[in-house]
Amino acid sequence: MELLIVGLGSMGKRRARLIKGVDAQAHISGVDFAPARRQEAQEKGITPYESIASAVAAQHFDAAFVCTAPITHAGIISELLDAGLPVFTELNLVDDRYDELVAKAKERDLPLFLSSTMLYRAETQYIKREVQAFAKPVNYIYHIGQYLPDWHPWENYKNFFVGDKRTGGVREIFGVDLPWLLDAFGPVTHVYAEKDKISELEIDYPDSYFVTLRHEDGTKGLLAVDVVSPKAVRNFEVFGEGLHLFWEGNPKALYRFNHDSGEKEFVNTYKSFEHDPRYSDNIVENAYTDEITNFFGMLKGEETPRWSFEKDKKVIELIERIEEA
């Protein structure tokens, strides 16, 4: 398989590495404006190009991955579709030209795949199954916090997309986590939010939110989302009369309360998992690999994606409701 990765930063390099784990025979080419990134990619066996135009003129590709800053995605996806390529894109965070891109992909009969990595976490899928099997009212509390300068320790947070208000750090957390919450608990009918800036971070958006969501089925969720927590945290708790689950964001920290014993019992959802030590312990590579595998299955006509531009548009609308509340 001939694959093109547009954007050879941290996520582009991660996708390249994981693609090789899924298909060792895949040949990967990459596009990036930065000469240093192209040189680094070439040293890793990736054929480098300065532009999409030069890449597609030089060879045929079976599909492309878009791994650039979210605000640049729309134009890049459009160019790739015009070149006749199926597209896998990272999180967009903005719905620029969504309707146009969906229509173009359908017109050209090209797969358009949108990453939503948390939907591929074994823990979130376990929580979804348990809540839906429980079939009685529940509520949840969820704190997701990270310190913005620690996201990419190798570069200043003002120099990549989280420094931009339209694709800021808090917005990205909402973009990452709302899809699986809506998948597990259903559509949201009511939003109440309190937001503030409690840090000295040089950003022009609130750094912390407290949000109450009322889902269509009556479930209430309380979200605390911030980019100021010194330790990266992902603490989730869902409870109802007869069900109590706890998750601290990593595969070793999913628990179910056993009323008979009065103890929390560990729930093992992974046979094994891979973790990149450069990131916090609540980020595992398995989910990134699984969505690549899902995309390859989609290319073969054997699988359907777990997420879509149509679903993501509703999430972005919800994020904007939260920001405006």
Side-chain angles (χ1 to χ4, degrees):
M1 191 170 356
E2 292 286 341
L3 299 172
L4 179 66
I5 295 177
V6 182
L8 296 171
S10 60
M11 186 54 75
K13 288 183 284 191
R14 168 187 264 164
R15 291 295 181 188
R17 175 174 55 81
L18 295 176
I19 286 168
K20 281 294 191 179
V22 175
D23 182 359
Q25 302 306 312
H27 178 259
I28 301 172
S29 298
V31 171
D32 203 289
F33 293 134
R37 285 184 176 177
R38 294 199 302 272
Q39 177 63 35
E40 181 185 8
Q42 190 165 28
E43 291 169 359
K44 294 179 180 295
I46 297 171
T47 304
Y49 293 97
E50 293 184 21
S51 67
I52 295 171
S54 61
V56 298
Q59 63 182 106
H60 166 78
F61 296 100
D62 297 301
F65 285 71
V66 178
C67 303
T68 58
I71 210 163
T72 67
H73 286 182
I76 292 170
I77 294 167
S78 183
E79 185 176 357
L80 292 168
L81 292 173
D82 285 339
L85 296 182
V87 175
F88 176 114
T89 177
E90 304 293 351
L91 197 66
N92 293 318
L93 298 181
V94 292
D95 61 0
D96 295 350
R97 299 169 65 181
Y98 263 31
D99 294 339
E100 173 195 332
L101 295 173
V102 169
K104 183 178 286 191
K106 288 180 179 177
E107 177 187 338
R108 289 162 170 72
D109 193 27
L110 292 169
L112 187 56
F113 187 104
L114 178 55
S115 167
S116 190
T117 311
M118 291 296 288
L119 285 170
Y120 295 81
R121 289 291 293 260
E123 305 98 316
T124 65
Q125 293 307 295
Y126 174 84
I127 292 167
K128 174 186 174 180
R129 289 193 303 271
E130 291 300 302
V131 166
Q132 294 184 351
F134 183 60
K136 291 195 289 185
V138 296
N139 292 326
Y140 63 85
I141 301 171
Y142 195 14
H143 175 206
I144 316 107
Q146 302 174 29
Y147 188 46
L148 196 63
D150 292 343
W151 283 25
H152 287 185
W154 55 87
E155 62 183 329
N156 191 299
Y157 63 87
K158 293 181 286 185
N159 296 336
F160 71 108
F161 69 85
V162 296
D164 187 318
K165 184 176 182 178
R166 289 193 70 202
T167 57
V170 173
R171 189 177 177 99
E172 193 200 18
I173 293 173
F174 282 128
V176 167
D177 278 277
L178 283 174
W180 84 262
L181 291 173
L182 297 187
D183 186 53
F185 299 102
V188 168
T189 58
H190 180 75
V191 173
Y192 176 77
E194 291 280 353
K195 53 187 179 289
D196 205 351
K197 189 167 186 294
I198 64 171
S199 73
E200 296 180 359
L201 291 169
E202 296 179 56
I203 52 178
D204 61 353
Y205 55 83
D207 56 27
S208 59
Y209 276 75
F210 280 79
V211 182
T212 302
L213 301 178
R214 168 75 77 167
H215 292 265
E216 195 172 74
D217 68 355
T219 297
K220 296 187 300 297
L222 176 61
L223 300 182
V225 176
D226 69 76
V227 293
V228 300
S229 293
K231 181 186 185 303
V233 293
R234 187 183 294 279
N235 291 328
F236 177 84
E237 184 176 348
V238 60
F239 51 92
E241 188 181 19
L243 178 71
H244 205 162
L245 305 177
F246 306 81
W247 182 41
E248 295 175 11
N250 68 74
K252 297 180 179 179
L254 177 63
Y255 301 94
R256 183 185 191 107
F257 182 73
N258 185 320
H259 189 269
D260 293 334
S261 68
E263 301 288 340
K264 290 196 299 184
E265 298 177 344
F266 173 62
V267 178
N268 188 5
T269 54
Y270 291 87
K271 292 181 179 178
S272 64
F273 61 89
E274 180 184 354
H275 169 66
D276 187 331
R278 294 179 304 163
Y279 299 93
S280 70
D281 63 0
N282 60 37
I283 299 176
V284 295
E285 303 293 86
N286 301 54
Y288 293 97
T289 299
D290 289 346
E291 59 184 354
I292 290 171
T293 301
N294 187 198
F295 177 56
F296 289 169
M298 185 184 179
L299 295 180
K300 297 174 183 176
E302 298 172 353
E303 298 184 26
T304 57
R306 297 187 184 180
W307 200 237
S308 68
F309 276 64
E310 292 87 348
K311 292 178 181 178
D312 199 59
K313 188 173 183 178
K314 293 179 181 178
V315 165
I316 292 172
E317 289 171 357
L318 178 56
I319 293 172
E320 291 172 351
R321 286 173 62 192
I322 292 170
E323 291 175 340
E324 295 166 4

